[in-house]
Amino acid sequence: MSKQKKAEITSPNPIIPPKWAPWAWLAGILILTFVTMSPVVDNDWTNWDDEVYVVQNTQIQEFNGETIGHLFNPETRTLANYDPVSMTTLAWDLRGNSRPDGKGGQIIKAKPFHQTSLLFHLANTMLVFLFLYQFFDRKLLFPIVGALLFGVHPMHVEAVAWVSARKEVVYTFFFLFSLLAYDRHLKKANWLMLGLTFLAFVLSALSKPSAVALPGVLLAMDLYKGRTLGAKSLLEKVPFFAVSVWIGLLTIAGQAAENALQSTENFGLGLRFLYGCYGLVMYVVKAIIPFGMAAIHPYPNPEELSVIFYLAPVLALGMLVGLFFLWKKGQKGLWFGGIFYLITIALVLQFITFGHTLISERFTYLPYVGLFIMLAFGLEWALQKWNSNKNLKWGLYGLVGCLGIAFVPLSQNQAKVWKNSKTLMDQSIAQYPDLNALPYNNRGLWFKQNNQYGPALQDFNQAIDIDPGKALYFNNRGNLYRELAAEGQNEAANLQLSVADLSKAIEINPNDPDAYNSRGLSYLDMGNEKAALADFTQSIEIKPENDLAYLNRAVLQLNSQALEPALADFDQYVQRNPNDIQILNLRGYTRFRLGQFENALTDQNRVIHASPDNGSFYMFRAFTLDTLGRAQDALSDARRARELGAQVEEDFMQKLEGKVGGE
């Protein structure tokens, strides 16, 4: 008796697409993604960590083996994070992209950094397409839906537009590459592909610790493909889990050392549970309706939590139960998408509270791939169920297409929000006007940097009104009062206000080195050199690598004729800031005053090499050369100084000409 064949589900699209169709779709999606995200390229820096990660980061000023070795040292961290691969990409972007600003600092263009982030996003969009196309047996629906929404989703703008979020796009690149290689291994038991999977995973984990979720995703891929989780499958994952544990321990140690983790005194276990469940649910909601966009979503007042926080645990439990039943019912595709989202989002939910934000849009960058997979499977199910209804079928296609197209202008507008610190903080303030102090502080810093002192003072006042227990806000207002005094506005009164604010900052946080350094500057402007010296010294004792405190103490001691201590402090500063030509010049002057003429000449040579069009530098070197008995070279420098507009005393020129003529 012949066996009867099982009835097969009719494909929603029985027409086999031509071989070029996937690549045409990929090209179209990449073009649309580029058009959507390209406004980020014209954005400037923001004062939300960009200064720490790039603009003032001495760790990446040179791109060479020494820099790379330093970045990969497990003791090297930026804002408590160990992410050497991501930092290496920033160092690469910085090469040849800075020039002296004439004030001892550097002018660094943001555009090359934004271009690199956009390129990574385009590459990631391509990898999403390739992974979904390959993993789901070359069904075009999955890569089209997944890559389209990944490329243009408004919640992904932050990861692309924010230079300090470079680690998001970099770790995702290697994460997706690892998944592609592992799928090849699953298909052909290719051990070379497994090795490539591991290598890409290590690079991903060294780009951002969130990559430690990858072993869990690999196990989910095994289950989806029907692979038994036996000894062979689990042993394959041992090196992956070992790396995850190592990266996890490094991350916890770094966060703890920088006090980045919130204590249970601020957030109890119950509150953390509510916050974590809220994030799990709200990220799903924002995947469908990306409303209330902002760079900073603050923690709410624990005593005024809205009803959604109390509903969130129920909804989160429902999601977990739903995943369980999807597996039991054999809906492995929907299950895989859901478990992908859950595994990759879990580590950034605020069950362990850290940072300033309750939720962060950039954290959705990779996890949303899982939700897009679920959407594609839901769409496939609907197309199969109503395949005979052409109007409904095309309506479903149109719905997804309209969703993607609707996201394009939203993402373009959000990309423009990241234009600069003011536009970015304007949006956060509009969303949370009475709850969020940090955006007022950061916008105040932007106003101060642009010499708009009135609006800056208003913003610092508002930040302090919202959060009067934050030392940083008093520190920044105190610095503003000192600048107002320097501008001649009520000098004595503003200096008193400055010292009062900075003293309050120290009262709130007695171990704040920046507050001591800032108060030292205010005391110095008041003429109280003894108090200034004490504050600079205290700042250094709290933070031995505090370059600004060394510099300020050095200048104070130089002006007080304490030349040897001044030189020691200049040495400390130059050791970590070798390209600051203004301070190199000051050290050279100090060495000259101490009679260390050859050492002074070494500094002056470096200064002129870095800035060959500054006449005053040639004038200083002329004095040193004359002292060393090199009258001809000194005369050449003096003449060059005059050519560049520097003032050269006629008596000095005649003296040099006389020496040269008499040789």
Side-chain angles (χ1 to χ4, degrees):
M1 185 174 173
S2 62
K3 293 182 179 179
Q4 291 185 340
K5 288 186 178 180
K6 208 172 184 180
E8 296 181 355
I9 296 176
T10 305
S11 169
N13 186 3
I15 300 174
I16 299 175
K19 292 182 178 180
W20 51 262
W23 316 120
W25 274 105
L26 175 58
I29 289 171
L30 290 176
I31 291 171
L32 184 62
T33 298
F34 176 79
V35 171
T36 302
M37 296 293 183
S38 59
V40 305
V41 172
D42 295 321
N43 291 347
D44 203 348
W45 302 105
T46 72
N47 58 21
W48 190 28
D49 294 348
D50 283 350
E51 288 144 336
V52 178
Y53 268 95
V54 179
V55 180
Q56 298 174 5
N57 189 352
T58 59
Q59 297 175 348
I60 62 171
Q61 295 302 311
E62 300 287 339
F63 186 80
N64 52 37
E66 183 180 352
T67 295
I68 295 173
H70 176 71
L71 292 175
F72 275 83
N73 184 334
E75 298 299 318
T76 301
R77 292 186 171 86
T78 305
L79 289 179
N81 297 309
Y82 179 61
D83 42 16
V85 173
S86 298
M87 295 304 299
T88 299
T89 70
L90 294 175
W92 172 266
D93 287 341
L94 188 57
R95 348 158 257 115
N97 183 32
S98 64
R99 58 183 175 84
D101 62 1
K103 302 176 183 178
Q106 292 183 330
I107 296 174
I108 302 174
K109 295 179 291 185
K111 191 166 190 173
F113 294 84
H114 290 307
Q115 289 172 331
T116 299
S117 293
L118 178 57
L119 286 174
F120 266 109
H121 181 59
L122 291 170
N124 289 337
T125 303
M126 180 183 70
L127 288 174
V128 168
F129 187 97
L130 294 176
F131 169 64
L132 298 182
Y133 183 61
Q134 177 180 291
F135 188 66
F136 294 113
D137 303 321
R138 298 177 178 267
K139 293 179 181 179
L140 263 178
L141 179 65
F142 296 92
I144 290 173
V145 171
L148 172 64
L149 296 179
F150 179 89
V152 303
H153 203 286
M155 292 286 283
H156 286 174
V157 171
E158 181 172 293
V160 184
W162 189 21
V163 173
S164 296
R166 172 66 62 81
K167 52 185 172 286
E168 299 293 336
V169 293
V170 177
Y171 109 85
T172 298
F173 174 82
F174 291 111
F175 197 106
L176 292 169
F177 193 92
S178 185
L179 297 185
L180 264 172
Y182 188 70
D183 183 58
R184 291 288 183 91
H185 169 65
L186 285 178
K187 284 181 168 64
K188 297 183 179 179
N190 188 322
W191 292 98
L192 177 62
M193 287 295 106
L194 183 61
L196 191 58
T197 302
F198 181 72
L199 175 61
F201 164 61
V202 171
L203 291 173
S204 183
L206 293 176
S207 301
K208 187 185 179 185
S210 295
V212 299
L214 186 132
V217 176
L218 299 185
L219 290 173
M221 291 172 67
D222 287 344
L223 291 171
Y224 176 80
K225 290 294 186 180
R227 189 182 186 194
T228 304
L229 296 186
K232 181 179 179 181
S233 173
L234 295 175
L235 283 173
E236 285 178 355
K237 311 300 186 301
V238 169
F240 293 84
F241 281 109
V243 170
S244 294
V245 170
W246 175 62
I247 291 292
L249 293 174
L250 279 178
T251 302
I252 292 171
Q255 296 284 331
E258 295 291 332
N259 296 316
L261 300 175
Q262 300 281 2
S263 70
T264 53
E265 294 179 3
N266 296 330
F267 301 106
L269 294 178
L271 201 56
R272 294 181 185 208
F273 178 70
L274 292 179
Y275 287 168
C277 292
Y278 173 85
L280 181 67
V281 173
M282 192 52 61
Y283 285 134
V284 175
V285 173
K286 286 178 176 283
I288 305 167
I289 309 172
F291 67 96
M293 306 289 288
I296 303 173
H297 298 272
Y299 293 100
N301 186 335
E303 298 178 359
E304 299 176 1
L305 295 181
S306 63
V307 66
I308 184 61
F309 284 92
Y310 298 102
L311 286 176
V314 178
L315 297 173
L317 179 62
M319 293 167 62
L320 296 175
V321 172
L323 285 177
F324 173 77
F325 277 104
L326 285 173
W327 176 260
K328 295 293 288 184
K329 294 291 185 181
Q331 298 292 335
K332 292 198 297 183
L334 288 169
W335 172 85
F336 178 76
I339 205 70
F340 185 104
Y341 167 73
L342 189 63
I343 291 171
T344 52
I345 200 73
L347 291 177
V348 294
L349 299 175
Q350 295 290 18
F351 292 113
I352 301 176
T353 48
F354 58 92
H356 302 285
T357 59
L358 175 61
I359 59 174
S360 297
E361 291 159 15
R362 65 189 181 278
F363 290 164
T364 69
Y365 191 67
L366 177 64
Y368 270 8
V369 173
L371 298 184
F372 300 152
I373 290 171
M374 295 187 78
L375 176 62
F377 268 103
L379 185 60
E380 183 189 52
W381 173 83
L383 291 172
Q384 290 176 343
K385 185 174 179 63
W386 294 295
N387 185 44
S388 59
N389 189 330
K390 291 185 178 180
N391 291 332
L392 183 58
K393 181 174 72 173
W394 286 109
L396 289 170
Y397 280 131
L399 180 63
V400 175
C402 288
L403 185 64
I405 293 172
F407 284 163
V408 170
L410 292 176
S411 293
Q412 289 177 324
N413 289 335
Q414 187 62 19
K416 293 173 184 176
V417 165
W418 286 83
K419 178 69 178 176
N420 56 44
S421 301
K422 181 183 180 298
T423 56
L424 183 63
M425 296 305 151
D426 281 346
Q427 185 187 59
S428 293
I429 290 170
Q431 290 295 336
Y432 307 98
D434 301 318
L435 184 63
N436 205 351
L438 184 59
Y440 284 105
N441 175 75
N442 286 18
R443 190 174 68 176
L445 289 172
W446 186 89
F447 281 129
K448 176 172 166 282
Q449 185 179 13
N450 288 274
N451 302 319
Q452 298 181 37
Y453 297 126
L457 183 57
Q458 291 177 7
D459 274 354
F460 290 145
N461 288 340
Q462 186 66 23
I464 290 171
D465 287 344
I466 294 173
D467 187 0
K470 190 78 170 179
L472 174 66
Y473 306 151
F474 285 98
N475 194 341
N476 288 334
R477 192 174 70 175
N479 288 333
L480 175 62
Y481 281 131
R482 186 176 61 255
E483 288 200 19
L484 289 171
E487 292 288 320
Q489 300 183 32
N490 299 319
E491 182 175 355
N494 277 322
L495 284 175
Q496 290 289 348
L497 289 170
S498 175
V499 169
D501 267 357
L502 294 165
S503 297
K504 180 64 176 179
I506 291 169
E507 177 188 330
I508 295 171
N509 182 7
N511 294 316
D512 183 356
D514 295 333
Y516 281 104
N517 180 63
S518 296
R519 192 174 68 174
L521 289 171
S522 296
Y523 277 135
L524 192 60
D525 287 349
M526 295 173 73
N528 191 342
E529 294 185 357
K530 182 178 179 181
L533 183 62
D535 272 355
F536 295 147
T537 301
Q538 183 64 26
S539 179
I540 291 169
E541 288 179 0
I542 295 171
K543 185 180 178 182
E545 69 280 8
N546 192 343
D547 295 337
L548 288 178
Y550 276 113
L551 175 59
N552 292 329
R553 192 172 70 174
V555 173
L556 170 60
Q557 292 176 134
L558 175 61
N559 292 334
S560 302
Q561 308 305 315
L563 299 180
E564 291 187 359
L567 180 58
D569 281 350
F570 279 131
D571 286 343
Q572 286 283 347
Y573 180 85
V574 171
Q575 180 181 351
R576 287 182 291 272
N577 302 271
N579 299 316
D580 191 333
I581 58 174
Q582 295 289 350
I583 306 309
L584 269 175
N585 190 54
L586 273 179
R587 188 176 72 170
Y589 172 73
T590 307
R591 285 173 161 175
F592 180 89
R593 292 279 305 278
L594 285 166
Q596 300 177 12
F597 303 121
E598 290 292 348
N599 288 337
L601 183 60
T602 299
D603 278 349
Q604 291 162 350
N605 288 340
R606 288 175 60 187
V607 167
I608 290 174
H609 177 76
S611 184
D613 298 323
N614 189 315
S616 63
F617 293 157
Y618 287 93
M619 188 66 247
F620 293 147
R621 191 171 69 174
F623 285 124
T624 304
L625 290 168
D626 179 41
T627 304
L628 289 169
R630 295 168 57 179
Q632 181 65 63
D633 293 332
L635 181 59
S636 296
D637 270 4
R639 288 171 175 169
R640 180 61 177 156
R642 270 192 174 177
E643 290 174 4
L644 293 170
Q647 184 176 357
V648 182
E649 295 293 336
E650 186 62 32
D651 289 346
F652 182 62
M653 288 290 291
Q654 290 177 1
K655 183 182 77 168
L656 293 177
E657 289 170 349
K659 286 183 178 181
V660 171
E663 289 179 353

